[in-house]
Amino acid sequence: MKSKTNKPMSMVFKIATALLITSISTSAVAKDILVKPGQLIQDSVRLAEPGDRILVEPGVYHESIYIDKSKITLKGLQVDGEYAIIDGKNKLNDGIITSGHFSVIEGLKVRGYKGNAIMTQGANNFKILNNVVEGAFYGIFPQYGKNGLLKGNVISGAEDAGIYVGMSDNIDVIENVAFENVMGLEFENCRNALMADNNVYNNSTGIALTLIPGLPVKDAKDLIIRDNIIRDNNHPNFAPSSSIAAQIPQGVGILIVGPDNVTIENNIIEDNHAAGVSVFDMLTFGLARDAQVDPFSDNIWIMRNQWKNNGNKPVGLFAEFLGPIGSGFELVATGKEKGSCVLKQDDVDSIGTRRWGDCDASQSKADYATAMLSEPVKSEEYSAEQKGRLTYLAVCTGCHAYNTVLHGPSITSIKAIYANKPKALAAYVAEPIRKRHDFPEMPPQGYLGEETLTAISTYILNDL
């Protein structure tokens, strides 16, 4: 007979197993990694494991940061109103780029970058929260992502878009402030996306919803723009003349070029000199034809908004388009849209909407809360080839076009020089030496790491 204090062997085994599991779990618990001024944030990224938080103390950090691991949080700590500042000194190309799924970028001030201030490339289930971005070509730029949130950011000085969501699905852009950019906020070739409760002012165009030809994603649809303040977007366009953003008109509250199934509702749209809302087809706007893309916007629903003093001082494209017809139009369209409607409101003059129907209350999206999915998107880790392709798109295409000169030499000329030499190309990209004075000096890209640089070089030389 066993004593009451003796446990059967099976019970002893279960307890030992539980203790072992607890020990393993404890050793795998996510940790906080603290970065102090004088240290490199990228060094902490290299040490981090999925689930870790990298906490950056206030100070100024001159570097580019690349995250290629999932479930990493990069968070700036604020003390007495002082930020952790990521500063490119107007020399470095990129501030923060992440391809990691479930990435969180929060509470940082990012300034003085020539390319992307904050970018996600192929990352799903991401969050970009409460950052301040000052000056870049693209301010905050998620691309090829699914199920993302951009909330509480303040962005200014972008030569393209303050927040630029490209080729992504199920995205919420809410409670951000965008001012003094060429475009305040943009959805480009996106599906199922929401902009709500943003403050957008003193940009060239406040909000742009676009379908750009020649990109891998061939449609843009199901976009809801509600409860935003879109006021006084009359800033002169300061985009480089070589970029497509140079075509963006001055003085437009909301510009729609190509997307379908767009709802504009409960916005304050005031004091935009060219138009409150304008709908252009891609061809009239001057974009190239793409045989796989429908150039006309359909099912544009302009619901109840607060309109005031729009369209009274058209310049440039709008002055040419309206010609002798005059000014004072809150809504301007090319008249080629199908299935579109506008809710009748007193003193809201429009042009180009003769074929549009009358919207009714049943079409309201005022209660639409989120475009994000209820469950995270299942996401596999990327192979070396995929990392090379995605990072090429994120980093290289801002300066290098395939067979024409952009800011740097064409990809075809690079392929000719480095044929069958991916390691040599990777070494040059890590520490470039200026060889031609007819091109600007290339920023070093060593922060990407040898493995990623080799993957990019292999992709350029063998697969692109």
Side-chain angles (χ1 to χ4, degrees), residues 359-382:
C359 297
D360 61 56
S362 67
Q363 295 172 273
S364 174
K365 300 289 186 180
D367 294 331
Y368 187 86
T370 179
M372 295 180 67
L373 302 172
S374 57
E375 297 292 335
V377 175
K378 293 182 179 179
S379 307
E380 297 181 359
E381 297 300 316
Y382 292 116

Side-chain angles (χ1 to χ4, degrees), residues 166-377:
M167 294 182 284
S168 297
D169 301 271
N170 302 106
I171 306 295
D172 283 351
V173 176
I174 59 176
E175 297 178 16
N176 303 282
V177 178
F179 64 97
E180 296 179 4
N181 308 284
V182 172
M183 291 170 282
L185 310 175
E186 181 179 14
F187 285 147
E188 178 191 83
N189 297 41
C190 291
R191 288 83 55 99
N192 299 303
L194 169 69
M195 285 182 185
D197 300 301
N198 301 286
N199 187 2
V200 184
Y201 66 94
N202 197 23
N203 307 281
S204 303
T205 282
I207 291 175
L209 311 174
T210 58
L211 176 59
I212 302 299
L215 297 178
V217 174
K218 301 297 183 182
D219 63 346
K221 61 184 180 181
D222 301 322
L223 310 176
I224 295 173
I225 314 300
R226 65 159 181 82
D227 296 289
N228 302 283
I229 300 172
I230 307 161
R231 179 180 287 142
D232 189 29
N233 291 286
N234 305 301
H235 198 291
N237 186 323
F238 56 97
S241 58
S242 60
S243 74
I244 194 171
Q247 300 179 45
I248 291 298
Q250 176 183 338
V252 180
I254 302 175
L255 175 68
I256 303 170
V257 184
D260 299 330
N261 306 341
V262 177
T263 301
I264 310 294
E265 185 165 13
N266 284 350
N267 302 283
I268 297 172
I269 309 173
E270 296 182 350
D271 298 320
N272 303 288
H273 289 171
V277 175
S278 182
V279 186
F280 277 82
D281 63 88
M282 294 164 53
L283 305 179
T284 302
F285 194 72
L287 297 176
R289 183 180 289 275
D290 184 332
Q292 296 177 279
V293 173
D294 177 5
F296 302 105
S297 287
D298 298 322
N299 302 318
I300 308 300
W301 296 356
I302 310 296
M303 304 299 289
R304 182 170 298 280
N305 297 277
Q306 179 177 314
W307 309 81
K308 182 181 177 182
N309 196 32
N310 297 292
N312 290 324
K313 300 178 183 178
V315 297
L317 172 68
F318 275 78
E320 294 177 19
F321 181 70
L322 294 172
I325 297 171
S327 61
F329 298 105
E330 304 278 357
L331 171 60
V332 176
T334 57
K336 301 175 182 179
E337 306 79 19
K338 296 179 181 178
S340 296
C341 68
V342 57
L343 189 73
K344 288 185 177 180
Q345 291 181 248
D346 292 339
D347 300 321
V348 178
D349 294 327
S350 64
I351 186 169
T353 58
R354 187 174 52 139
R355 291 171 39 194
W356 289 35
D358 295 331
C359 297
D360 61 56
S362 67
Q363 295 172 273
S364 174
K365 300 289 186 180
D367 294 331
Y368 187 86
T370 179
M372 295 180 67
L373 302 172
S374 57
E375 297 292 335
V377 175

